[in-house]
Amino acid sequence: MASARTAHLVRTPDFQRISDYAPLEERIALTYRRARAIAKAYALTADDVLYLKPKFWELHMDNIYAMDGGAFTLLTIQYNLAAGTLAAFAEKRPELRPLMDQVMKFDVSAQYLLTEQAHGLDAPNLETTATLLPNGEFDLHTPHDGARKYMPPTGPFGAIPRVAVVFAKLVADGENRGIRPFIVALGDGKQTCKGVTVKLLPQRGGIKPVDHAVTSFDHVRLPSTALLGSLEKPRNLRDNFISCIWRVSVGSLALAAMAVPLLSVNAYVAARYSLRRTVTGSDGVRVPIMSFRTQQLPIMQAIAQAAVIRAHAKAGAAIYKDTSIDHRVRSGVAAAAKASMTQHAWSSLAILSERIGAHGVFEHNSVLQSELLMRGIRIAEGDVLALSIRLANELLLGRYSMPTPKHPDCLLARHEMGLFAECRALLEKVGGNHRHESLSRLLLPRCLPLVQAMGHRMAYESALDGGVDRPLVDLYESEIVLFDSAWYVERANLPRWAQFEMEDKALSAAMPHLEEYLAKTGAEPYATSPILTEESWTAFINELPVFKGNAELSLISSPPTLAPAPPVQAHL
């Protein structure tokens, strides 16, 4: 069952619904209070984040984020990106430990400023500079508008001091010595520090408010201790950059695991609604809409996905923690997991929002918010498409290899190998020239499906080996087959109708266990949608703003009185 560390928070005042008409500053402050409450419930240590211990992964899969995705945004930046980067240096530098302690307790809000307006996926070429001064201090500066840091929450909100890990080009003696992280004070919770300019961005659609911003620096003076790393120029600037931002690839897996709570809680809401909502059948008898296959299938698929992704995340975390494995392989495992996990969650949440009808478009039912949050996750900590293109190309060029399938004869492993064979054949046609013009047309669009197929296979074998109930594993497998139905017809001798029957058989085996599976999600305390019961819906309607009046409005005037028509005379 899902973690119960935060179940008690649902009943506290800060986790009750706030008015949609509350001022933006008040709603952002609430997001920070919620994030700090969740942080307190987990009480992570520096070792938890540095060595990726189970509690770190558990934090990223807590069902409470279905109630507030904004709090999740703050927490994953705080603990994975900022604390994860700082922890590696604090182990060897005692002067950093008091700050590390404040970050772990969430006594300060810690941010991670990497991406620039003009350098998104092109981050190795970022232009913010940190120039070494003769006295050993640094001058942090944004040279032009394109070098402004984009997206991280840096506004003076939440009444909490704010610091950041800021990535800048280290310049010493006029020489570019590569990208380095620096510790920078941003503000005291009420105003920004001198030389720091923050421009608040409009709110992201649908999710709880967070102060995402554009941040720039005007010759901010930093102490010598602000530098995390060496002053020496590295042998390879790109390798140095990758080592500096290693927590981003951790984030690819950690963020993708967010699919578990979003699917769990929203599938629970859709299921409970579908069990109580009835329609009149042709015989005049009212039946719950859950009795229809079109309702059962997307709900049970979401439940199956959540169970399989949880097993996949656990297996992926174990690989990522094994430092004896090539770091490129570990990053590849994270990329494949993100490509497949977010694909499942994004598509399923869109369907679940439809299956609860008009309720699905309102924020108070959380499904739409969850869908929009997952859209952001697909971009954050590595855009899914960019990650997939990079990974697929490196594997096709033989620069390294991913772990071999544990069940090579299963349908999903055969599919993965089949897609790789197709892509390799394309590459061989142009003599192995991966920069050939035809590959940008034919191969690039195949990269994402290829990496997703890899993630599907890994998820399936993780579920098989991880003890996920067989009906859920079979339902997951049937869903993946239908993602690329034509390939299984062409290459696996599995006709379309056989695929449909495969899905029907798996769903029929799973449906009798619906209540058991809903209980295993641990979603009940976090499902606060008013559509869950007739009583909660009635209470919700009764609390809505009411407008009454005595207005009279005439829209159609009375018809004019017509004179009687003259008698008609007959003509002989």
Side-chain angles (χ1 to χ4, degrees):
M1 182 177 291
S3 168
R5 290 181 192 273
T6 58
H8 68 286
L9 293 177
V10 178
R11 300 184 295 275
T12 61
D14 276 343
F15 282 84
Q16 305 312 301
R17 185 176 289 112
I18 187 173
S19 170
D20 292 333
Y21 306 106
L24 178 62
E25 186 173 347
E26 182 180 335
R27 288 184 288 146
I28 292 176
L30 177 62
T31 301
Y32 276 89
R33 292 200 301 273
R34 288 176 171 178
R36 295 183 75 183
I38 296 167
K40 183 177 180 181
Y42 272 87
L44 293 179
T45 66
D47 280 358
D48 286 328
V49 300
L50 181 57
Y51 299 108
L52 305 176
K53 292 187 175 181
K55 205 185 333 183
F56 170 83
W57 300 108
E58 188 182 332
L59 171 77
H60 283 82
M61 291 189 285
D62 197 297
N63 283 331
I64 203 164
Y65 302 129
M67 299 177 66
D68 194 328
F72 172 78
T73 297
L74 296 176
L75 285 162
T76 192
I77 294 173
Q78 182 93 5
Y79 290 120
N80 176 50
L81 296 177
T85 300
L86 182 60
F89 296 96
E91 273 199 325
K92 300 176 181 178
R93 291 177 53 184
E95 77 276 12
L96 294 176
R97 290 171 193 166
L99 174 60
M100 188 73 206
D101 186 56
Q102 288 181 295
V103 171
M104 295 312 302
K105 292 179 179 178
F106 215 127
D107 289 338
V108 299
S109 173
Q111 299 302 323
Y112 189 86
L113 276 61
L114 172 62
T115 303
E116 296 178 355
Q117 283 182 209
H119 301 284
L121 299 175
D122 186 34
N125 295 308
L126 59 82
E127 296 178 81
T128 300
T129 56
T131 303
L132 179 64
L133 302 176
N135 65 355
E137 295 180 340
F138 298 94
D139 177 270
L140 181 68
H141 186 61
T142 302
H144 58 84
D145 289 352
R148 293 184 295 195
K149 298 296 184 178
Y150 183 71
M151 196 67 174
T154 57
F157 294 95
I160 180 173
R162 194 161 313 220
V163 300
V165 176
V166 177
F167 287 83
K169 180 167 57 178
L170 172 61
V171 178
D173 298 326
E175 179 184 38
N176 172 16
R177 297 190 180 179
I179 306 302
R180 297 288 194 283
F182 293 82
I183 296 295
V184 181
L186 298 181
D188 62 4
K190 298 178 182 178
Q191 60 180 329
T192 63
C193 293
K194 184 179 179 180
V196 178
T197 299
V198 172
K199 294 189 175 184
L200 190 66
L201 289 166
Q203 289 302 299
R204 290 168 57 187
I207 75 165
K208 294 292 189 291
V210 174
D211 51 321
H212 291 294
V214 177
T215 310
S216 58
F217 306 98
D218 184 11
H219 296 290
V220 174
R221 190 65 61 90
L222 302 178
S224 60
T225 52
L227 171 65
L228 299 178
S230 169
L231 281 170
E232 300 301 317
K233 184 175 182 178
R235 294 181 185 175
N236 185 300
L237 293 180
R238 181 171 180 81
D239 287 348
N240 170 72
F241 175 74
I242 296 299
S243 68
C244 286
I245 65 164
W246 72 282
R247 295 300 299 204
V248 171
S249 63
V250 177
S252 293
L253 180 56
L255 285 180
M258 178 68 162
V260 174
L262 296 187
L263 287 169
S264 297
V265 175
N266 289 296
Y268 184 92
V269 169
R272 287 284 170 240
Y273 173 75
S274 300
L275 288 167
R276 79 162 183 84
R277 176 71 166 174
T278 59
V279 294
T280 303
S282 57
D283 56 0
V285 177
R286 295 194 68 83
V287 295
I289 60 174
M290 190 58 138
S291 61
F292 299 111
R293 216 53 162 175
T294 48
Q295 207 74 8
Q296 295 172 359
L297 184 59
I299 291 171
M300 192 58 78
Q301 281 180 333
I303 292 170
Q305 288 169 354
V308 170
I309 290 172
R310 184 179 290 278
H312 188 187
K314 183 178 180 180
I319 292 174
Y320 207 97
K321 286 174 60 177
D322 188 350
T323 55
S324 67
I325 298 174
D326 187 326
H327 72 88
R328 297 172 299 176
V329 175
R330 288 183 284 144
S331 294
V333 168
K338 184 173 185 180
S340 61
M341 290 178 183
T342 60
Q343 173 197 22
H344 294 320
W346 193 22
S347 60
S348 280
L349 289 167
I351 297 170
L352 289 176
S353 69
E354 292 182 357
R355 297 278 56 80
I356 60 174
H359 295 295
V361 302
F362 288 97
E363 291 185 9
H364 59 257
N365 289 314
S366 81
V367 188
L368 181 61
Q369 288 182 319
S370 297
E371 181 187 344
L372 291 170
L373 176 60
M374 185 50 61
R375 180 177 296 187
I377 286 173
R378 286 174 62 82
I379 299 168
E381 265 81 297
D383 176 271
V384 165
L385 179 59
L387 289 174
S388 298
I389 290 172
R390 183 183 303 121
L391 175 59
N393 275 281
E394 289 179 343
L395 294 177
L396 291 169
L397 292 171
R399 291 174 177 166
Y400 55 91
S401 300
M402 298 295 284
T404 56
K406 296 179 181 178
H407 304 278
D409 296 327
C410 76
L411 283 171
L412 304 195
R414 290 163 59 192
H415 179 238
E416 177 192 355
M417 290 185 284
L419 296 190
F420 263 107
E422 291 173 354
C423 292
R424 289 192 178 102
L426 278 174
L427 191 59
E428 288 172 4
K429 275 186 178 180
V430 294
N433 178 13
H434 67 288
R435 300 189 184 279
H436 194 279
E437 183 271 339
S438 66
L439 291 186
S440 67
R441 292 184 288 107
L442 294 172
L443 186 59
L444 284 185
R446 308 277 81 78
C447 290
L448 179 57
L450 177 62
V451 173
Q452 286 172 336
M454 190 187 314
H456 297 154
R457 184 265 302 169
M458 291 177 175
Y460 177 74
E461 63 189 20
S462 298
L464 276 181
D465 300 341
V468 175
D469 283 8
R470 191 61 197 235
L472 296 180
V473 177
D474 291 343
L475 185 58
Y476 178 83
E477 180 187 34
S478 70
E479 176 191 11
I480 302 306
V481 167
L482 287 168
F483 276 159
D484 194 359
S485 179
W487 186 91
Y488 289 95
V489 172
E490 293 176 353
R491 303 295 184 184
N493 193 30
L494 194 62
R496 285 175 62 251
W497 201 256
Q499 296 174 27
F500 299 147
E501 289 178 335
M502 178 181 174
E503 177 186 69
D504 179 68
K505 180 181 178 182
L507 182 57
S508 295
M511 277 305 298
H513 305 284
L514 174 63
E515 289 296 340
E516 173 192 346
Y517 294 151
L518 289 175
K520 283 184 177 180
T521 66
E524 183 177 6
Y526 306 92
T528 59
S529 169
I531 67 173
L532 287 170
T533 67
E534 289 288 351
E535 293 76 17
S536 60
W537 177 247
T538 300
F540 174 76
I541 293 295
N542 289 339
E543 292 171 0
L544 295 177
V546 177
F547 300 90
K548 291 183 178 181
N550 296 303
E552 294 183 3
L553 183 63
S554 178
L555 298 176
I556 302 176
S557 60
S558 300
T561 302
L562 301 176
V568 178
Q569 296 183 357
H571 296 276
L572 299 177

